[in-house]
Amino acid sequence: MSAIRALADQLALRSDDDVRRLLTVRPDLILPPVPDFAALAARASSRTSLQRALDNVTRPQLQVLEALVVLTEDDAGAVPPARLAAALSQGSTDAVEEILADLARRALVVGSAAEGFLPVGAMADAVAPYPAGLGRSFKTLARSIPRFGPALVRAAAVLAPDPGNEALTSAAAARVLDRVTADPDAWDRLMADAPEGAPTLLARLRDTPVGSTATGGDGGASPAVQWLLDRCLLAPLDALHVELPRGVGRAVRGHAVFASLELEPPLAAARTTRATLRDNAAFGAIAETLRQVGSLLAVVAGSPVSTLRSGGVGVRELRRVREAVQCSDGDAAWLLELAAAVGLLVLDPDDSRWKAPRPDAWESLDRDAQWQLLVEGWLAVDRAPALVGSKLPDGTSVNALAAEASRPDAPMVRRRLLSVALDLSDAPADADGAAGVGARGTVPVLTDQAVVGLATWHQPRLHRRFSRLIPGMMAEAAALGLTGGGALAEAGRLVAQGRFEDATLGVRDALPAPVSHVVLQADLTAVAPGYLQPEVARGLLRMSTPEGQGPATTYRFSADSIRTALDAGEDAPSILAFLSTHSATEIPQALTYLVEDTASRYGGLRVGRAGSYLRTDDDAVAATVLADPRAAVLGIVQIAPTVLVSPASAQELAGLLRDLGFAPASDAMTAVAPAPAGTADATAPGGVAPDRLRSRLNPWSVAEEEITAQLVTLRTPRPGPADPAGAADSETLLGLETLRAAIRSRSRIRLGTADSEGNHVRQVLVPLSVSGGRLRVFDPENQVEKVVSVHRVMDVEILEGSAADG
């Protein structure tokens, strides 16, 4: 029976709870919904769906799957658990049977312990080009490399001088080499005669079957290499590269597919740190990050961040932000990305600048609510800020807030990071007490290597992205106080468990309450003895310049800073009243003189902004324009008895006056130039509230309601013909399964295809390979190879007793 049909029958016999669990771990099977179990099995057997499923299996599960693929390719039959356990160097089958049962629940294998198991559908294509890190079989290499077939015949004649009644064709020679490499005694006798260096060379290719060696040209090969080539223990791919055949690879591994089954996750930690040091570092990082975000919003509110023409924030703007916030370039990029992730910064499409639409909304939040907002945004955003500054293939660097830093898999990697950190932190102490929670007052330190190693054990196919993303994400987690001193903090533990409210309460209790007073000093400075209340900090920023960083910030007063407060609408009495209210000491006389002297000389000249002006010698005309309510839309104001100004352009003002019945004339002189960019109101139109996270849903997630609806559809009999779309998918996959079976057995097929005119053409062919939507076949009648597009295949039939022996 077809493996796909067998899987469909097994799925139909499952309970609703089992089917629901399957659809939970493999949600792509019902996106879009399927009409019946046959279509569900066909989709579960497709290469694309299997690749997604393989991304979520553990290391031992992947080892079992790869071993199953290797054994079924070699023997073309179901594999019992005992034989699979032997191939995995397992003395007991219990662990293997348990893993096989879990893989069967995920619809990755089909079968039973009594009859044996088979990988589902296109598993051989989905696993890897070299499953289990082993090369291709002798028979496959003979088909793929023209000169390897005759070499196999010569090698078999040397290794097995008396092959019996079996003629030494390339296929028969491949079977001879398989027997030699599978027999431990025969293999030992063969390697006893090997020249020096041959075992070392084979060991180098143990895990990666393709390697480079000097195999060609004027006797360039070493004696060891030449000896291995002569006996077909290496297959030459070209002049410089060789491949280790599968049988030889298994022999080098002790005649097993894997030398061991990695059942236990790597939970060992290298060192520990004290819990008190961890907590101090974590809460200090939280306080510093909140300060930096507030400073960033103040900077952007005063002068929005410009973007490059190619996208992202350039080095010059990044340097400006870094100097204002007093942090490193990497931290400046990270803060920009984080603030944009939670909506504190938005991109104005009109001028392509990042703006802070509502900095007051951020300041109105308590610090624990600010922290929760940042953490939730960090977990949800589909970007990797740590990639900023890394090199692109064209030699350029990734800019902050550029499209190149987008990573749709970033939320998944962050969740895996927190899960792994929780597992490592909860691991028991080793024999020496060097790791684990068991040591007194100590907690394990999370190194990049340990976190990446455990994450790879859980999802081995994602090793490369873990290695690239996790180190940077660990630095980001430390900045948010999820870790401290390299160890998982209590807040990080609660976040990893999904207990955000409890984590927020813990942060609220740990952070000191903000203070409402400063210490004014005679050197025209004010020292904040802690984190100031937002309204006090805003008031000081209006009339002074901050210096240094950290909780005890110093604010310096100067004539320029006082003029800034006067520009904002303050006067000398209001400034002195604010300082008197929020000062723990009396106002120094020098500061009082500075404020009063600067205010006395302020306002001799008045500067404003106008886009156009209107002047007239008739006071009555000016009064008429001001009295008309239609003129209010342009913001016309009077600055002198005969002079009116408006922020609108001269053309708009002239048009309005003509509509009012006047006949204005244009002056030759230019109107007052608009103020430079950055002096306008920082509130961006359509600003996004900071409590709106910019995150995307997982495209492969399904809700419980969708699973329930799909179950109803699967269990409900459907009268009439089957859904044509679902049937077409099933038939296509069944045809591909038949083709792969014929390729493995080297059988001839009767292939029905549609030609360019739509006619049905049937031919007897030998399939060679199928990939990328193309089928490569051999036509025995015309003795030629040709390629057929898979979408033209209409039917496939294996001809019984037609196995080719070539």
Side-chain angles (χ1 to χ4, degrees):
M1 178 187 290
S2 163
I4 295 179
R5 291 194 175 95
L7 177 61
D9 294 342
Q10 289 190 4
L11 292 177
L13 294 175
R14 293 189 182 188
S15 66
D16 286 355
D17 290 339
D18 290 340
V19 176
R20 186 182 296 274
R21 281 191 288 268
L22 169 64
L23 300 182
T24 301
V25 297
R26 297 183 63 181
D28 63 295
L29 296 184
I30 56 173
L31 293 172
V34 293
D36 50 36
F37 281 105
L40 183 66
R43 188 173 294 173
S45 304
S46 66
R47 178 179 179 179
T48 303
S49 179
L50 289 173
Q51 286 177 328
R52 294 193 190 103
L54 290 176
D55 286 344
N56 295 301
V57 300
T58 62
R59 178 61 181 162
Q61 290 173 337
L62 185 61
Q63 284 182 299
V64 170
L65 274 174
E66 291 184 339
L68 188 62
V69 168
V70 169
L71 296 179
T72 52
E73 283 185 350
D74 290 346
D75 298 337
V79 180
R83 183 159 177 263
L84 191 57
L88 293 165
S89 303
Q90 286 292 111
S92 172
T93 62
D94 294 343
V96 175
E97 289 180 350
E98 184 178 349
I99 293 174
L100 285 170
D102 185 64
L103 295 175
R105 286 191 290 269
R106 295 169 178 253
L108 298 176
V109 299
V110 62
S112 63
E115 300 176 356
F117 289 88
L118 284 170
V120 165
M123 182 65 73
D125 295 331
V127 167
Y130 297 102
L134 295 172
R136 293 170 288 179
S137 64
F138 288 109
K139 183 170 62 175
T140 303
L141 289 170
R143 297 174 191 166
S144 305
I145 305 173
R147 56 178 171 160
F148 193 66
L152 271 177
V153 175
R154 294 191 297 270
V158 174
L159 299 177
D162 185 16
N165 297 326
E166 189 173 22
L168 276 181
T169 62
S170 61
R175 288 190 287 272
V176 171
L177 268 294
D178 282 331
R179 286 194 296 269
V180 171
T181 55
D183 184 355
D185 295 332
W187 175 256
D188 291 340
R189 288 194 299 270
L190 175 61
M191 294 307 296
D193 298 331
E196 183 181 357
T200 303
L201 179 59
L202 293 180
R204 279 212 316 261
L205 298 174
R206 170 177 171 164
D207 298 320
T208 53
V210 177
S212 175
T213 182
T215 61
D218 301 323
S222 66
V225 172
Q226 194 60 52
W227 187 86
L228 294 171
L229 289 172
D230 291 342
R231 286 154 183 77
C232 289
L233 302 183
L234 287 180
L237 301 179
D238 53 35
L240 296 176
H241 296 87
V242 293
E243 180 176 332
L244 190 71
R246 179 174 295 171
V248 181
R250 293 183 61 180
V252 173
R253 296 181 181 185
H255 303 279
V257 176
F258 284 104
S260 63
L261 185 60
E262 300 177 23
L263 293 173
E264 297 299 327
L267 293 174
R271 57 189 180 88
T272 61
T273 186
R274 298 189 64 83
T276 53
L277 296 178
R278 174 203 63 185
D279 294 339
N280 290 339
F283 293 127
I286 292 174
E288 180 63 9
T289 298
L290 297 181
R291 181 199 70 80
Q292 290 177 337
V293 171
S295 300
L296 172 68
L297 296 181
V299 171
V300 179
S303 179
V305 178
S306 302
T307 59
L308 300 172
R309 185 174 301 176
S310 58
V313 177
V315 176
R316 183 176 300 176
E317 283 290 87
L318 198 63
R319 185 184 301 115
R320 179 175 70 87
V321 171
R322 177 200 69 192
E323 294 173 351
V325 180
Q326 299 179 6
C327 61
S328 65
D329 283 341
D331 289 342
W334 144 251
L335 292 170
L336 286 171
E337 292 275 358
L338 183 63
V342 298
L344 295 174
L345 297 182
V346 295
L347 182 63
D348 189 343
D350 295 332
D351 56 8
S352 297
R353 294 196 299 174
W354 288 92
K355 300 179 179 180
R358 293 180 57 194
D360 56 326
W362 165 261
E363 295 174 349
S364 64
L365 295 174
D366 293 334
R367 285 197 294 167
D368 55 299
Q370 293 176 342
W371 175 82
Q372 182 179 358
L373 175 67
L374 296 181
V375 171
E376 290 180 345
W378 175 71
L379 289 173
V381 67
D382 53 356
R383 294 180 60 80
L387 296 180
V388 175
S390 60
K391 293 295 183 181
L392 294 171
D394 60 359
T396 60
S397 300
V398 178
N399 293 317
L401 298 175
E404 289 80 5
S406 177
R407 287 296 298 252
D409 57 347
M412 180 275 297
V413 177
R414 293 190 186 97
R415 288 194 299 271
R416 175 57 67 191
L417 163 62
L418 292 177
S419 173
V420 164
L422 191 60
D423 292 341
L424 287 171
S425 299
D426 291 340
D430 59 18
D432 299 328
V437 186
R440 294 182 181 177
T442 61
V443 288
V445 173
L446 309 175
T447 62
D448 293 352
Q449 182 179 2
V451 173
V452 172
L454 184 53
T456 300
W457 186 89
H458 284 288
Q459 293 174 283
R461 287 167 62 93
L462 305 185
H463 171 70
R464 293 184 63 182
R465 72 179 70 179
F466 287 152
S467 300
R468 179 168 173 78
L469 297 179
I470 280 183
M473 290 180 176
M474 289 185 65
E476 296 164 6
L480 290 171
L482 302 179
T483 63
L488 184 67
E490 188 61 28
R493 176 183 297 275
L494 295 174
V495 169
Q497 296 170 346
R499 299 163 58 187
F500 287 94
E501 297 299 330
D502 293 339
T504 304
L505 290 176
V507 171
R508 176 186 302 175
D509 295 338
L511 292 179
V515 298
S516 61
H517 64 276
V518 295
V519 178
L520 297 178
Q521 302 183 122
D523 61 350
L524 300 180
T525 60
V527 178
Y531 286 95
L532 293 173
Q533 293 178 353
E535 61 273 12
V536 178
R538 283 198 302 270
L540 283 174
L541 288 174
R542 283 198 305 268
M543 59 188 67
S544 61
T545 303
E547 296 179 348
Q549 55 184 340
T553 306
T554 300
Y555 297 86
R556 181 166 297 279
F557 298 93
S558 65
D560 290 338
S561 67
I562 298 299
R563 278 193 292 269
T564 302
L566 298 174
D567 289 339
E570 300 279 359
D571 54 20
S574 65
I575 293 175
L576 294 175
F578 175 86
L579 294 176
S580 176
T581 302
H582 298 290
S583 175
T585 59
E586 293 185 0
I587 302 177
Q589 191 177 43
L591 180 56
T592 303
Y593 286 164
L594 174 66
V595 172
E596 293 177 346
D597 181 63
T598 304
S600 65
R601 293 184 285 106
Y602 179 82
L605 296 175
R606 310 296 297 182
V607 178
R609 181 180 179 183
S612 58
Y613 66 88
L614 171 66
R615 61 185 179 86
T616 176
D617 295 332
D618 191 343
D619 294 347
V621 173
T624 302
V625 172
L626 287 174
D628 196 310
R630 290 174 295 178
V633 296
L634 293 186
I636 298 176
V637 296
Q638 187 173 22
I639 61 174
T642 59
V643 180
L644 308 178
V645 295
S646 169
S649 65
Q651 292 80 5
E652 291 175 316
L653 181 58
L656 174 66
L657 294 175
R658 292 188 181 98
D659 292 340
L660 296 179
F662 298 100
S666 298
D667 275 355
M669 62 180 296
T670 305
V672 178
T679 59
D681 188 356
T683 303
V688 181
D691 56 350
R692 300 284 300 277
L693 298 182
R694 186 170 58 91
S695 61
R696 294 188 178 94
L697 294 176
N698 181 358
W700 302 114
S701 62
V702 293
E704 286 294 327
E705 295 79 7
E706 296 176 272
I707 295 179
T708 301
Q710 181 63 79
L711 278 172
V712 172
T713 301
L714 292 172
R715 298 299 188 189
T716 303
R718 301 179 65 84
D723 180 67
D729 291 342
S730 303
E731 291 301 322
T732 300
L733 288 169
L734 287 171
L736 289 175
E737 183 185 28
T738 304
L739 285 172
R740 292 189 180 97
I743 292 170
R744 286 195 299 268
S745 62
R746 192 69 171 169
S747 301
R748 297 189 180 190
I749 60 172
R750 183 175 287 111
L751 185 68
T753 59
D755 62 15
S756 58
E757 297 179 356
N759 300 318
H760 191 185
V761 180
R762 298 177 68 86
Q763 297 173 286
V764 175
L765 304 167
V766 178
L768 302 178
S769 65
V770 57
S771 64
R774 296 182 178 275
L775 169 65
R776 189 168 64 90
V777 297
F778 175 73
D779 186 348
E781 181 178 350
N782 298 317
Q783 293 294 304
V784 295
E785 283 190 12
K786 52 186 178 182
V787 176
V788 180
S789 297
V790 172
H791 72 272
R792 291 187 178 274
V793 175
M794 301 180 66
D795 55 80
V796 183
E797 177 187 359
I798 298 180
L799 301 180
E800 297 297 334
S802 63
D805 193 33

